Amino acid sequence: MNDDKDAKPMTFSINRRGLLAAFGSGAGIGLAPVAGAAPLVTSAAFLHGVASGDPSADGAIIWTRATVPVGKSGDVPLTWHVARSASGKPVKSGTVTATAAADNTAKVDVSGLSPATEYWYWFQSGDGKTTPKGRFRTLPTGKTDQLVIALATCQLYPGGFFNAYEDMAKLKRLDAVVHLGDYIYEYGADGYGAETGKKTGRLPDPSHEIVTLDDYRRRHAQVKADPQMQMAHARAAFICVWDDHEVANDSWIGGAENHDPAREGDWRARKAAALQAYFEWMPIRAPRNADEPAAIYRSFEFGDLATLAMVETRLLARSPQIASKGTAPDAAEVAEMLAARQDPSRELLGAQQMKWLEGVLAGSVKAGKPWQMLGNQVVMARVPGPDLRKAVGDEAYEAMVARLPESYRTLIAKAQIAYAQGLPFNLDAWDGYPVARERLYAMLRRVGANPLAFAGDSHAAWANNLHDDSGLRIGTEFGTTAITSPSYGSLLPGLGKIIAQQSPEVAFCDQDLKGYTIVTLSPETATAEFVTVSTVTSRQFTRGIAARYEARKGTLRAIA
């Protein structure tokens, strides 16, 4: 029996019925386990640590996974506790079942806590085994002078060690982590990042490209088993949204660049499997609509200081990309692509999500909050394709390209021609959907927002000024580099500096280093520290700061 009437267990099952359970069709936000659905297992290990997420003013989601002994299967009854300190007595306790139907994961929506307070939590199995303890901070209400959040994205497991997460876990103040997607990658052992993975012994599990529910579960399990990942999850609550690789590369509403129906089956089935595993394994609340599990857009209020709106730009409404990343068109194709790019029917957010977003931001402005933050997966700023020859000169350009494999030389040569004709750097970002971006900017102007956009996906750090087509400044964008995933800087060191020099909206870009970003908000300023780690191929690393930028309403500048 649950001792806390305010807390709601969350459990999941497989297939459509299971999806409805996972996505909140039962009482509270989860469906209670069906009596007799599986045998009970009282002995379990906790190999994946704990995690918390989606904090509110009076609580948060807490999560764990119970690993049953080899040869056994069944549901695992657990007890959970929340306390005000690591050694304190519980102020909330209850029970939850880690069901076999949900891959033995368990979530609890804890409520009834005090705002702006740090809490510690843990789970316990029937045989007395206890998880590590984690902590989260509830959201503030009323007057709020400061907020410290970390931005993270793009953590390719074979791409290297999660040193950035180890550093993040040591931060003295951390109110929440905003994860902007690519928590897992779908590729197999011979795919993206495989060369680094073979050197470091971090090959993906399973070894093939993931397609089925079991595949996606195993890939999530591998990432959650990483000790540095566990450190970060135990440090603070995560506010998450997926990007493309949680399902497949360059995904959109009807498919993905890396999905072949002839070999990998129906896109909808693959997407459903990926999303079920995501909701099982991530500390996230169920979507607002059980019939549309991709609708994970939601908002968070940080007292009188800021609103954070997490938007979905992949699976709900996105139109197909004009071209995939890593490809370059022939010169004759560019004019047609540029015309297609301006099609007003092309979408990223969609009308329903835009209406929701306008209501959230209008309410934030009406409440007098100085900041309206957008947790958005892809880069919003205009980024023209860089002219490498102009930037470094003919001789240096030829030497730079000569060092690359032949396939890359051909690709870069074609890209340079396309860029000169006006094709932007990344058609998978908002630059591939400029009319949709103008609709967003018009809405931001209409409600009087002071937007601070966050971006992942690009494997690069950014500090950008955002302008509409008329040249009016709309707001600021901070983009965070990858935890491990390689970027274009791996091929062309210094590319970020060239992009910043040649892009009117880009104040800073680092395509070379891995890490994360710390954003500190006050009523007057938003400061970004672009934290770097010296390596991802060894667990021994040093910490650095690539740059610091400060945004005020209407301005963005570098600071010492």
Side-chain angles (χ1 to χ4, degrees):
M1 181 177 180
N2 195 328
D3 298 327
D4 180 7
K5 295 180 180 179
D6 295 324
K8 298 167 279 294
M10 303 171 65
T11 60
F12 305 92
S13 302
I14 303 174
N15 67 39
R16 175 165 172 77
R17 180 182 177 188
L19 285 172
L20 291 175
F23 301 152
S25 61
I29 61 172
L31 189 66
V34 179
L40 294 182
V41 179
T42 57
S43 176
F46 297 106
L47 306 181
H48 301 92
V50 294
S52 63
D54 280 10
S56 64
D58 74 335
I61 302 295
I62 59 174
W63 175 98
T64 195
R65 200 263 183 151
T67 301
V68 300
V70 175
K72 288 192 175 183
S73 64
D75 298 343
V76 184
L78 302 175
T79 304
W80 58 268
H81 304 284
V82 176
R84 287 184 179 270
S85 67
S87 58
K89 293 182 179 180
V91 296
K92 295 281 182 179
S93 295
T95 59
V96 65
T97 302
T99 65
D103 205 19
N104 289 120
T105 61
K107 295 184 191 181
V108 178
D109 185 358
V110 181
S111 58
L113 304 178
S114 299
T117 303
E118 189 163 81
Y119 288 93
W120 294 74
Y121 64 97
W122 62 98
F123 294 82
Q124 191 171 28
S125 62
D127 62 349
K129 293 188 178 70
T130 301
T131 65
K133 292 183 178 180
R135 51 180 161 157
F136 63 85
R137 186 175 181 85
T138 52
L139 303 189
T141 57
K143 184 171 177 54
T144 303
D145 295 325
Q146 190 181 65
L147 170 67
V148 179
I149 60 176
L151 309 180
T153 190
C154 301
Q155 50 196 61
L156 179 69
Y157 185 86
F161 297 109
F162 294 161
N163 293 335
Y165 279 133
E166 181 175 330
D167 186 81
M168 187 188 298
K170 297 175 182 177
L171 293 176
K172 185 176 181 180
R173 168 87 185 259
L174 183 59
D175 296 322
V177 178
V178 175
H179 197 288
L180 297 165
D182 292 344
Y183 189 92
I184 63 168
Y185 282 71
E186 79 275 21
Y187 302 108
D190 294 323
Y192 183 53
E195 184 177 345
T196 301
K198 291 172 183 176
K199 292 178 180 177
T200 59
R202 289 172 70 86
L203 294 176
D205 178 54
S207 60
H208 56 264
E209 182 167 323
I210 55 177
V211 177
T212 69
L213 176 60
D214 181 65
D215 290 344
Y216 282 102
R217 284 171 164 174
R218 286 172 61 181
R219 195 61 58 85
H220 276 281
Q222 182 179 46
V223 171
K224 282 286 199 309
D226 184 274
Q228 293 172 310
M229 183 82 258
Q230 291 186 24
M231 291 171 66
H233 272 303
R235 175 61 186 87
F238 275 51
I239 299 173
C240 300
V241 67
W242 55 63
D243 192 27
D244 52 341
H245 291 289
E246 283 87 351
V247 185
N249 180 59
D250 281 5
S251 53
W252 54 284
I253 189 172
E257 177 275 332
N258 193 31
H259 179 75
D260 180 0
R263 293 185 302 105
E264 296 164 327
D266 182 68
W267 166 250
R268 293 169 297 177
R270 184 178 187 179
K271 181 175 72 171
L275 297 195
Q276 179 170 339
Y278 186 90
F279 278 97
E280 289 171 348
W281 279 85
M282 298 298 289
I284 185 175
R285 283 189 172 82
R288 61 191 59 250
N289 182 355
D291 293 327
E292 181 44 89
I296 59 170
Y297 52 89
R298 61 212 193 280
S299 61
F300 301 85
E301 304 295 336
F302 294 87
D304 65 354
L305 180 60
T307 295
L308 169 63
M310 300 293 288
V311 298
E312 203 286 339
T313 64
R314 282 291 174 190
L315 304 176
L316 271 178
R318 179 189 276 259
S319 305
Q321 296 85 349
I322 293 171
S324 299
K325 293 190 292 286
T327 61
D330 293 326
E333 299 173 309
V334 174
E336 183 179 345
M337 293 173 64
L338 290 173
R341 178 174 168 261
Q342 296 296 333
D343 184 344
S345 70
R346 290 176 57 73
E347 284 283 6
L348 270 189
L349 298 179
Q352 184 175 350
Q353 186 174 188
M354 182 75 87
K355 182 179 179 181
W356 165 84
L357 182 60
E358 181 168 2
V360 168
L361 300 186
S364 179
V365 173
K366 185 177 181 180
K369 300 187 182 188
W371 296 101
Q372 287 73 48
M373 302 184 292
L374 296 177
N376 150 78
Q377 292 96 316
V378 294
V379 173
M380 194 172 289
R382 289 173 171 82
V383 183
D387 185 335
L388 300 179
R389 192 180 294 274
K390 179 180 178 181
V392 302
D394 290 341
E395 185 176 345
Y397 172 77
E398 296 298 340
M400 176 193 304
V401 173
R403 290 192 292 268
L404 301 176
E406 177 62 34
S407 59
Y408 285 111
R409 279 180 252 165
T410 302
L411 187 65
I412 288 173
K414 292 176 67 176
Q416 289 294 286
I417 295 171
Y419 294 160
Q421 293 177 264
L423 207 66
F425 182 56
N426 184 1
L427 289 166
D428 184 58
W430 281 89
D431 261 338
Y433 305 79
V435 182
R437 181 171 55 195
E438 285 302 300
R439 286 195 290 268
L440 173 63
Y441 286 174
M443 181 272 285
L444 295 173
R445 292 196 310 268
R446 188 162 60 244
V447 302
N450 179 31
L452 179 62
F454 302 139
D457 180 68
S458 70
H459 308 176
W462 304 81
N464 300 327
N465 289 288
L466 305 177
H467 298 86
D468 66 12
D469 279 348
S470 72
L472 179 68
R473 189 180 190 279
I474 298 297
T476 300
E477 178 175 45
F478 291 143
T480 185
T481 191
I483 297 292
T484 57
S485 304
S487 70
Y488 292 116
S490 303
L491 293 172
L492 302 170
L495 177 62
K497 292 181 180 179
I498 295 173
I499 289 174
Q501 290 167 358
Q502 297 182 355
S503 304
E505 293 193 356
V506 180
F508 168 76
C509 180
D510 181 1
Q511 294 270 343
D512 298 346
L513 298 172
K514 303 302 154 208
Y516 66 101
T517 300
I518 301 171
V519 178
T520 303
L521 257 64
S522 74
E524 296 80 26
T525 63
T527 303
E529 287 186 303
F530 298 102
V531 180
T532 63
V533 293
S534 57
T535 181
V536 294
T537 58
S538 168
R539 291 191 184 276
Q540 303 300 317
F541 68 95
T542 56
R543 181 187 204 262
I545 302 292
R548 292 182 177 89
Y549 274 77
E550 178 188 87
R552 295 175 180 264
K553 189 169 185 178
T555 64
L556 174 66
R557 67 183 183 93
I559 58 176

